[in-house]
Structure formats: structure tokens, C-alpha cells
Amino acid sequence: MSNDCTFLDDLSVEVSYGDSDRESHAGDWGAETFDLAVTPDAVVWPTSTVEVSAVLASANEHGVPVTPYAAGTSLEGNAVPAHRGISMNLTRMDAILDVRPDDFQIDVEPGVMGSAIDSALETHDLFFPPMPASADLSTIGGMIANDASGMKTVKYGEVGDWVLKLEAVLADGSVITAGSTASKTSSGYNLCDLLVGSEGTLAVITRATLEVAGRPERIHGGRAIFPTLAGATEAVFDTVQSGIDVATIELIDRESAEMANAYLDTGLPNAPMVFVAFHDPVEREIETCRSIFEAHEAKQCEISSDESRMDELWTARKELAFAVQVYDPDRRPLHPGDITVPISKYPEIIRYAKALSAEHDLLVPCFGHAGDGNVHYSVLVDPDDPTMRERGELLYRRVVEKAIDLGGTATGEHGIGMGKREYMIHEHGESSIEAMRQIKRALDPRDTLNPGKIFPETADGERVQADSTDSPATQ
Amino acid sequence: MSNDCTFLDDLSVEVSYGDSDRESHAGDWGAETFDLAVTPDAVVWPTSTVEVSAVLASANEHGVPVTPYAAGTSLEGNAVPAHRGISMNLTRMDAILDVRPDDFQIDVEPGVMGSAIDSALETHDLFFPPMPASADLSTIGGMIANDASGMKTVKYGEVGDWVLKLEAVLADGSVITAGSTASKTSSGYNLCDLLVGSEGTLAVITRATLEVAGRPERIHGGRAIFPTLAGATEAVFDTVQSGIDVATIELIDRESAEMANAYLDTGLPNAPMVFVAFHDPVEREIETCRSIFEAHEAKQCEISSDESRMDELWTARKELAFAVQVYDPDRRPLHPGDITVPISKYPEIIRYAKALSAEHDLLVPCFGHAGDGNVHYSVLVDPDDPTMRERGELLYRRVVEKAIDLGGTATGEHGIGMGKREYMIHEHGESSIEAMRQIKRALDPRDTLNPGKIFPETADGERVQADSTDSPATQ
């Protein structure tokens, strides 16, 4: 049912009710795959915290949902306005507000692209270590809201580990700050880390202070090709276990290699590959890595300090996401999300996914930030074949459930959104979900902010956290 | 007013109503200084999560406060049972449950001492990097509850950065888990980091999974003596700013040096000193550090790789806390807590404290984890001189307020407890405090867990978060 959003006309914020604007805010990358897009009733483009606050206060009063939106690159339907209402596009709040090299800090607005942050820092010889590979496609607001991570997370941690302070607007329009520009604080509840990864369900982030680091002076990187997937996954585990200071360690399986090789015409063998990078390494570390790889019979193990050669060596990994998309015109990747397990379980979860792939006769390319125990996997299905699609869905689910049973998580970096809600109780237990719900109800009693996300779906699919004693006026 | 705790007799948990047991749970290190000790009505020693849950469920039903207690080493009255009720002593839950070297993880109960964790890890060549210097005096539960940090935080971060997963009991007795044993997760709200630093006001931690790291193979450490405090603080700032990978960088001012020298009979000059340590350093880093120190006219700059020599060089810093206590039998240190500022403001906050010391004619030794922008300072006053004490309180307050105004925090590592409540609104603003209160009310509507902490005091001093529609039965 559509919501009456005409109260927006009384606010000094740009608003559109046009079909084209609304439709372009209906989905994200994940929603496109899932066919989960939902068209909002209106789109607003605030340009300041004051405007964000005014929209939220009014929407909350009118019982109209508000879903934050920026680049639309999330994978689990996180930015889909599942209960319609207002899509709040934050891309006009895209200023770099302040760079403080002396404190290794930068202040940004939520709509700024990752690549713009990198450019602003590069002039000071600084960088934002957890930056995802999608830096030129996604915004810092989205990265924070999903607690994203990237290729360098094995060394530097997640986005959330580098967020010092946030300004954010709660559902009722009140503006809070969370965290501190001090490098550490024990002052009060850690609202900052509570908002990180809350996917716009608790607040709209309007400003962030990020910690940054000195750019590495020397980067060495390369890749090795392994005869077996077991050898490749064990090489990853042994490398992490050795404690050497690897900045990146990524794996792609044979199927992924085949897709990348076909897409890029590399002439490389279709075999599992592991990619590594070191920041300001000592020679001993690179040698340790090399000998671990060789113990697992790696071939063509090359680690270079030459930038263009590194780019060449890395191409298969860098272009993989696109290679998977275009590999077979009759197949579509189902669910492009991720799972993460403790590193000792990494070989096992990969083995498990491959066994299911064989059992169900479905192509399941696996790749990802291996050093984190992180696996991205897709199940390629014919979208017009409901039986195959069903088999694919089952396979996909079994891998997520196995990851949780191995002490892992349903998502290491893309969030729950709509796509992973069904795993929440399995992963966290009823009591923990209830505690999360209590927090949601406390900060957003009318379920104004991004309803229909994170929490397990209710039987009737209605907004789940709405306070029954104070239900929204329009539904 | 005392609470009737006889309902505890129906539970299978060890309980005492004896004066000596109750009195030994009345305070912590901070409360002793503040004269803020409050005797609980009963003490319980649970030995399992089930017992913790049973006590909380009953206490919550009876409206009786429960305050977690372990080593009693916190500095801000964090463990004082401010509204009496039950002191829950967790020191019998002191098991090391599991060490998983393959995953760099250890599972522990809350009452285990830091030093016991270190011993358990040492056999695997691992260590817990953020361990506070008080490892042999304090428990991991307390460290987590205060989001403690230590001498190696400048390199490795705070305790909270190394907590992967918690089991905890909410006020109503329900048991939750928070976080994941995966190295990263984007699954649901970050309850784990919300509980870290919440000082036992949201839940009682009953089990923790900590991330650990490979023990450094080589440690180099030493100290330098500076002619001026300005030179010493600027040397700290320049060292951090240079980006060299220092694992520890501590400062003590002239007054602290004088106290340590007197206590230890070192024969060293009474002058500001800076202490450093490097883990597995490259020689170039040590040389950079040395040349930065020399640019600020450091004397006796010695950095050694010999363990016993390092211990000697570090003695003044290590024994300082005791040296301050015994320096002048007629003076007592007022408020032994800490503040933290962005590193670029570190020289300024030290200058400010020293200017106030001169202005008020009071001895104010300053020291601490300088590389974090962290300052521990005491004001030495005659406890029997109310005017001097009042001047001391004023001075103390002005430094905290200045730290906040410089973008810092009222506490970097010891928490708010009772001692720092008055600064909460100044630091976080009314809206953020209200958001914290909403979370407190949501998870603990009857204000059962550690009431009278963190939140600003109300005019009548009563329990502040109690739900007015569901007020505790006994008060």
C-alpha cells in the first residue's frame, strides 16, 4: 500500500514523486538478482543534517518509512524500500569536510565515494586501510552501514574498526554524536559501533570521522597457481597461521579461474589461484609465504614489487565479479553475498560448498578474502528453470547454515538486508535477536527507519518492530 | 535503604550477608580515594552462567540491584554497589575454557586474571596485545566491562578491539551471545561492542572469546630523559606522527620522575622521561625514533634488546603508581583516572594541566600512555584541608573539561563509573545521552544492573533509569 508523502512538500528538501526517480531507487545490486525491488512512494535528496532531521521527524510523525540510499551497490537488498515510503538519497551529502593528517583523521559526509576519500588522503600520503575493492562504486555511508571490509582486512580490520566518531539522526529527527575523536574512549555506551553495521535501521549517518594510516611506502604483490583446491585453501590457512604480516590474501577456485580466464583471455591454466600483497614487507616474510605456497605445490608463484606487473598478476581476481556475471548468458548468479568462518574452518567450508556443487550438479564459483575466512560464492542457475532455481536456493542455504555451524557468520561484510534474515536466529539465538529488537524498538519505536531488514520476517510480512501501543498512522 | 535479599536463599548459589564479606565488596580502588564506598546487602559468588542467570532473574523480579564485582581494581567507583543490593562476585568463574591457536582465539570466563590468560597463551607463543599493565591485579571481565587498554594500545588498540564474542546475562536472566568467532561479521547489531565498556549496566559477561596474536620474537625497549616537558610531549607527537610502528610510548613528567626517583632511589635526574618499546622492529624505526628524541634534546636515550636492561630502564614508569601513593604522607592523590585527547592536542593538554598546577599551587603529576594521547594525572591534596581539596577538585574538573573541548574524552580506559558522570552531557550532548538511556531502559527496564553509574546523576540521587510504569518493589 502506498504512503501519502505530501508532507514532504512543506519541507525545504528536494523531493520527487516521478516514476523514473522512484524506480531508480527501488533496488540495489542484490535486489536486482533477487527480484526483490520495491518502488518507493517518494525520493528525497537532503543536503544537510538539518534536512535529514526534518524529513525523519515528519516521516516518523506520519508513520511513513524512510530507507537510506546512496550508490545502491549493496548485495542483500539492504537499500530496498521494502515497505515503500521514502527513499532518502544521500549522494548530495558528499563533501570531504576536513583532513587532519596530524591526528590521522578525516571527516566526511556519508555520500562521498570511497575513491574520493582515497584521493583526498593520497595528497597527504595517507590511506583508509579497510577500503573495499568497490571504492569507486560505493559510498562511505554504505560501507559504514554494512560494516564493509575488503582485500586488506586480513591485516587492517573492517571499516568499523576505523570509524572513530559518527553524527547521526535518529528516527524522531534528533541528532546524536557517537564515539570520540580521541584514539580511544571508555566514556559511556559504544553507540558508534552499534550504528556501524545497523544498515540504516537505527539512524541515518550524516557525518563520519575516520581514522586513517600512513600509506605504505612499498607494496609487493603477486599470485600462485595451485594444482588442487585443497592445496590452495591449506596454503591460505598456513600463511595466516604463520603470523607473517600479509596485507591481502585472496583465493579463487578453478571455476572462478575459468570464468576469469575466458573473460580476460589470459592463457593461464584453469586452476585455483591465491593472490597476495605485502605492505612495507621484510624479505623474510615474502620468502616464508613463498615456501608455504611451494609446500602445497604452487606453480607460477610470482611476487613482484613492480606496480604494473602486480596489476597484471592480479587481473583475474580484480575482474572476477564481472567475469562471473557474463560467463554463461543462460545462467544467472543466485545471491552474490558472502559468509565467513574461523580461518581453521576455511578449507572445510570450501570443501563443503564444492561437494554440494557436485551433488546438485550446479556451478558454484567460490572466491573471496580468504585470509579472513571469507567466502563469496554464487550458484549459477537458469532463471527460467524453477526446479534448478530451487535446487540452487537449497544449496546456497546449506552453505550459509554450515558456515554458522562451524562458528562462522551468515555475512562477513555485506550485511543481512532482506537476503539473510532467515539465518538470524540460527546464528544468534532467540534471546540475542530479542535484545536487538529491544534496541530497535527503543530507538525507533514506530519502525520508521528501513523496516523489513535484519530481523526475521514475520508470518504476514508486515513491519515487525512497530510499537503496538503506538502504531503508525498509515500502513 | 537496605534491600531484602533473602530470596537468594532459595537459589543454589553461595551467598553471604556477613559484615566482613559485605564490607570487602563496598568499594574499588577509586571508591577508596573518593570515600564513595557503599556496603551491599548481600554478596553472591556464582560459579556458572546458570547461577548468574538465576540470581539476576530473581533480583530483577524483586527490584533489587545487582552490581558485578571481581578484582575491585577499577578507578571510578565502577564496582561500587551504589544503591546497595547484591554484589555479584565473579572471581570463581575463572576458567580458561579453550585455547585455539589455529584461529588465534581463547575462550575465558570473566573472573580469570589477566596474568593467567597470558600464561595460558605463552605456552602457544601467543599473547593478548591490549593487556593492561595491571594484568596480575585485574580480571578480564573488568577489562572488558571498562574497555580497558594498556601500554601497547598505541600499536594494537583497546581490549574491545580484541573481543570477538561474548556470552552475557541480561537483567531478566536471559542469556545472549554477541559477536562471532569469525574474524569479521556484518550480521545484525553489534551487541558485542555495545556490552564492551558498558560497565555491567547492561549485562553480566559470563564468557568471552578473545582474539590473540603471535608473541613478538624480539622486543627492543628503553627510555630517554628530556630537559623540558614541552620537548618530551613534542617528541611523543613527532614519533606517532612519523608513522613508525612503536608498540609502546609512555611519558612521565618531572614531578612523576621525582616521585619515582625518590621511591626507587634511581640516581636519575628529576626530569621528564619518555619510554618506548618496539616489537620485532626494523633497525630503521629505532633510528628514526632516536633522531626524533635527539631533535628535542633528549639525554640518556638508551634502547636495548636485553630483557633485564629493559626492565631497569622501565622501572620508573612501572613503579610510578605506587610511588605517587607514598610520595608525601600528608597528601593523598585525588581521582586517579585518565583523560585522552587527539594526539595533536597532547602537548596542549599537558601544558594546560601544568599551568593549572602552578596557578593553584598544587602538585599534579602527569603520566600515561602518551602515544594514545592518554593522560593519567592526580592532584595531591591534604585530605584534612577542605579548601585545598576543593581547589584540587576544581583543577581536576577543568582538565577533564579542557580534554573534552579539545575533541577528547573524559576517560580513555577507566570508564565513567560514579566519578565521571558529571561530564557525560558535556562530552556526548543531551540527545546522545538520551539514546544511551533508551538502550539502558530497553535492556534493563527496572534498572537492576549496576544502577547509579554512567548516566548523569539526578537531583535526588535516586536510581535514574527505572521505568516509571514498572518501578522496583523495594527502594
Side-chain angles (χ1 to χ4, degrees), chain B residues 221-274:
Chain B
R223 64 109 179 78
I225 301 175
F226 289 81
T228 66
L229 187 57
T233 57
E234 281 155 23
V236 168
F237 170 65
D238 289 351
T239 305
V240 172
Q241 237 289 304
S242 74
I244 62 171
D245 195 17
V246 66
T248 294
I249 183 160
E250 302 277 316
L251 176 141
I252 71 174
D253 66 1
R254 190 190 58 74
E255 291 75 6
S256 305
E258 186 177 333
M259 294 174 188
N261 290 339
Y263 180 65
L264 296 162
D265 196 15
T266 59
L268 289 172
N270 295 331
M273 300 180 192
V274 175

Side-chain angles (χ1 to χ4, degrees), chain B residues 308-336:
Chain B
S308 60
R309 181 61 187 151
M310 265 186 280
D311 278 348
E312 273 177 280
L313 291 168
W314 275 74
T315 318
R317 174 66 187 94
K318 287 199 169 161
E319 303 294 333
L320 184 60
F322 299 99
V324 172
Q325 295 285 338
V326 301
Y327 177 67
D328 182 341
D330 295 333
R331 295 282 183 277
R332 217 170 65 159
L334 203 64
H335 306 309

Side-chain angles (χ1 to χ4, degrees), chain A residues 100-105 146-150 153 158 161 165 170 172 174-191 193-194 196-199 201-202 217-218 237 240-243 280 282 284 338 340-345 369 371-374 406-416 424 427-429 431-440 442-443 454-455, chain B residues 100-105 146-150 153 158 161 165 170 172 174-191 193-194 196-199 201-202 217-218 237 240-243 280 282 284 338 340-345 369 371-374 406-416 424 427-429 431-440 442-443 454-455:
Chain A
R100 293 184 295 281
D102 280 357
D103 287 317
F104 295 94
Q105 292 176 10
N146 280 348
D147 196 6
S149 51
T153 289
E158 301 156 78
D161 295 326
K165 188 173 180 176
L170 300 180
D172 66 0
S174 61
V175 180
I176 66 166
T177 60
S180 173
T181 51
S183 71
K184 65 182 186 187
T185 176
S186 294
S187 176
Y189 297 160
N190 189 341
L191 297 182
D193 282 332
L194 179 65
V196 171
S198 66
E199 304 184 26
T201 66
L202 295 178
E217 288 170 21
R218 296 171 298 115
F237 170 65
V240 172
Q241 237 289 304
S242 74
D280 296 324
V282 290
R284 190 173 48 87
D338 78 301
T340 303
V341 295
I343 189 68
S344 69
K345 307 298 186 198
H369 313 313
D372 304 330
N374 171 271
L406 291 172
T409 176
T411 168
E413 54 185 38
H414 292 287
I416 296 295
M424 284 292 281
E427 179 170 351
H428 299 283
S431 299
S432 303
I433 300 299
E434 184 51 32
M436 292 183 200
R437 265 195 219 285
Q438 283 163 343
I439 291 168
K440 168 69 173 172
L443 296 182
I454 295 183
F455 295 98
Chain B
R100 292 184 296 281
D102 280 356
D103 286 317
F104 295 95
Q105 292 177 8
N146 279 349
D147 196 7
S149 51
T153 289
E158 300 157 78
D161 296 325
K165 188 172 180 176
L170 300 180
D172 66 1
S174 60
V175 180
I176 65 166
T177 60
S180 173
T181 52
S183 71
K184 65 182 186 187
T185 177
S186 294
S187 175
Y189 297 161
N190 190 341
L191 296 182
D193 282 332
L194 179 65
V196 170
S198 64
E199 303 185 26
T201 65
L202 296 178
E217 288 170 22
R218 296 171 297 115
F237 170 65
V240 172
Q241 237 289 304
S242 74
D280 297 324
V282 291
R284 190 173 47 88
D338 78 300
T340 303
V341 293
I343 190 66
S344 69
K345 308 297 186 198
H369 313 314
D372 305 329
N374 171 271
L406 291 173
T409 176
T411 168
E413 56 185 37
H414 293 288
I416 296 295
M424 284 293 280
E427 179 171 351
H428 298 282
S431 299
S432 303
I433 300 299
E434 184 52 30
M436 292 184 200
R437 264 195 220 285
Q438 283 162 342
I439 291 168
K440 168 70 172 172
L443 297 182
I454 295 183
F455 295 97

